[in-house]
Amino acid sequence: MSELAWVLSLGFAGLLLLGVPFVFALGITSLAGLMVIDIDIIVLAQRFISGTQSFSLLAIPFFVLAGDLMTKGGLSRRLVAVADACVRHVKGGLGMVTVLSATFFAAISGSAPATTAAIGSIMIPEMTKRGYSPEFAAALAVAAGIIGPVIPPSIIFVIWGVIAEESIAKLFLAGIVPGLLMSVGLCLASVRYAVRHDVPKEPRASAAEIGRAAWDGKWALVAPFVVLGGIYGGIFTPTEAAVVATVYALFVGLFLYRELKWRDLPAIVMGSMRTTAIVMFIIAAAAPFGWLVAMEQLPPKIAGGIAAISDEPWIILLSLNLLLLAIGMVMDNIAAMIILGGVLIALGRTIGMDPIQLGAMVSINFAIGMATPPFGYALFVGAAISRLSIERISRELWPLIGVLIVVLGLVTYVPAVTLAVVRLF
Amino acid sequence: MPALAQGKAATLKIGWTSTDSAQDPYGIGAKLFKEKVEALVPGQVQVSLFPNRQIGDEKELLEGMRFGTVDMGVITNAVIANLETGFQVNDLPFLYADEAQARRVLDGPVGQELKDRLAKKGVIALGFMEGGFRSMLNNVRPVVNPEDVKGVKYRVMQNPVFIDMFASLGGNAIPMAWGEVFTAVQQGAIDGLELPVAVIDAAKYYEITKYLSLTNHTYSMIALLVSKRSFDKLPKDVQAAVVKAGAEATAEQRRIAGAQAQEIIVSLGNKGMKVNKVGNPAQFRGSVKAVYEKFRPTIGSALLDQTLAAVQ
Amino acid sequence: MTAIHGLLEALSRTAGRATIFLVIAMTVVMTVCLILQVLFRYALGQALSWSEELALLMFTWTVLLAGSLGVREGFHVALTLLPDRLGPGGQRWLERLILVLVTVFGFYLAVSGWEFYDGTTGQLSAAVGYPIELLHSAALVSGALVVLHGLTRLVASFVLPPAPEARP
Ligand code: NA
Ligand code: NA
């Protein structure tokens, strides 16, 4: 390994372990790397700026903001009410309400922690009240949050689209079936929990009650059609769709549900922009790091190393997924995706995988990383809402992560799971 | 230091943003340069290739050459024009009648003037290679006369010359990120776009677009550039080899790219596109005269007139 | 030391407030740009050539400004494996070490940002034609703010009693 490769790998790992935030660990390591190979540090500023100059990435703040406005504007609550009226009487019904409302919210929100926050803040207390353990309720909200970035729209797919220069609209389509499969799997897990712990059933809602919930929630229920209908009707690009969703959420919250107040808006906007800054500042700082990695021609070398594990593509894919899951446990998913992007693309070419399927596999893998202990944004949100430690949530969480990993396996080995929908369009 | 370990060979890192396929005009140029310079001074220089936007987009590569953080690049004219506005002259719509004329002008005093101006900004142009003429393709109707552009929605790069050109012709110019264009054409959000034929083929636009009109509206010059800072660090004999290899690579790249463009046009027809030539190129240039005048101040009056005289 | 902290904190607080104001204002501008872009295309059948580039200029600034605010507010995310295993005293010294690293990085980002700004003056952006300095000064400003906020927190860690606060 070259001197630079040592600085980049050990320096980065060391700083992370020390507790330096991801963004500064990337930045400091890049700086050291530039000094080691004696290249002008001007690259740092150049890449910080160019890393943010992407129209596709501009979707991120707006998908965050749209999700926040929908939660604060009462849309999330109404989605939960609709799901509640429909399925609460089934065994494990309340768990299914959590999963199904997260699935629906996923079609509006692009982020896992936002989905866990929107649904978990309502459903964790409710489930706890009605016979589920708080640990399971929190774990389910965390796992269901992962559906958020798998079903379109999705921040993580947007970032992969930018890294791999693939169509974001196509990547979005590839996430639909895996997202629905996760939803089905987590519903079954809720039923299994309810049967094992003999959680009492809830009374069935009358048709009139269902009708009322649906009518009250109509503006929330059509929101996904505004976003996805706009993209696939050929009306807007994903970035424009994100902005339209924001304006739609604002309109509904202010004028139809009237739960948003003008004076609340600055705080909501600033909250969303803080979330955006966490993600985007990491993207900016990863840009010089990625440049150094490319300059050393490391991606093809590492990809070649991984490809040499076996002649069988399925073994390579298995090893790759296990490696990415391990990385996703302790790493920020965005930073990991940017650093490893070149390697993954090179490897995909080597084994001849469809680039859209590869993108879906990588993105879903890192999405799952947002739930896996010890480091995961959805997990942090679930812990904060439930006031439980990560260790206590983890025991109930691992089987649910198992469900998500089964879906990842299908995505990896059955191309139709991702590509059938892509080919329909 | 790694350089010493390898026995004093100077290294030159060359970047470009498209693929390293055998058909890619940028890649052809970079690889020819590598082959020639390494043969001219064996063991004294090693060129490493960075395709696929690996070390930055074109703006970054060009900036990098000024700062000395990137050694070399094959860069599209429009991007160079952002740094040295004289290069806008090459992007003027319907300026060059054919490849031969463009090559003659770029190898003559106009090209020398552009080289001199760019050198003042710290970047040396070794040669003006060829990305091929850009043509229009769409799903509404073939473009034979300027009127045929009217009312049709074309995706353009976010570049004022292209936007103004389509506006002058009465078309509907829609700037859009490259990654979304294919889907947008497929779904009918836009009617068409404009590209060099090599890109139409590589990106498989023949699958979703009906008409290819050889409007040849923009000659896409791609320049083989070297950072002045990197160049000055090289030993004298390697410098001479770099200049010589640049000129030779340019000549050969043009020959290959030109021949390939003709083959691709034939093959696009075989793949089902309806290919046509325009009626009267002069008529098109007449329709966009306003664009020429708009860019006169930034190009520089003398250079514009010199170029116009050269293409008469 | 206390006087220095007072001055730094006043500067850092003012910069933080200005950042929040600017970020919100620029978010509004981005929203308006992109909504106009869609409206013009569909309602008026006319493409805007400036909207995308202007929105992207705002975007870079919001990210680099709000990113620096993360140092003041401590919202950037880090692993807590080591800090969790230390006592309060150890945590305090570790936090100081991290703040030193962050501040030094901010300094180099500012230096690099100055070089980048200085080395590219006089160009215009491709579509809008704004002076490129408007974009290229973002890293300089962001780096300087990281230094200001980082230094303020560093000095505060010696002056103020320990607070159960997030890391930088
Ligand atoms: Na989603
Ligand atoms: Na994780």
Side-chain angles (χ1 to χ4, degrees), chain B residues 59 63 66 158 160 163 172-173, chain C residues 45 47 49 52 116 119 123 126 136:
Chain B
K59 172 176 180 281
E63 279 169 3
R66 298 185 67 197
Q158 207 170 48
I163 295 171
N172 207 334
Chain C
S49 59
E52 190 172 316
F116 187 48
Q123 286 170 247
H136 287 187

Side-chain angles (χ1 to χ4, degrees), chain A residues 325-332 366-377 379:
Chain A
L325 283 170
I327 292 170
M329 283 172 72
V330 293
M331 263 287 276
D332 172 85
F366 282 129
I368 294 172
M370 288 193 265
T372 50
F375 183 92
Y377 295 117
L379 182 62

Side-chain angles (χ1 to χ4, degrees), chain A residues 144-208:
Chain A
I146 305 313
I147 302 172
V150 175
I151 285 184
S154 166
I155 288 172
I156 199 160
F157 280 140
V158 166
I159 295 170
W160 182 261
V162 171
I163 294 170
E165 294 189 288
E166 294 295 337
S167 159
I168 290 159
K170 272 192 191 173
L171 285 166
F172 276 4
L173 289 173
I176 293 177
V177 172
L180 294 176
L181 288 173
M182 285 179 169
S183 181
V184 171
L186 292 176
C187 280
L188 292 176
S190 307
V191 175
R192 177 170 168 271
Y193 178 91
V195 171
R196 282 185 148 193
H197 296 81
D198 199 26
V199 180
K201 283 194 213 172
E202 299 288 320
R204 180 187 286 272
S206 67

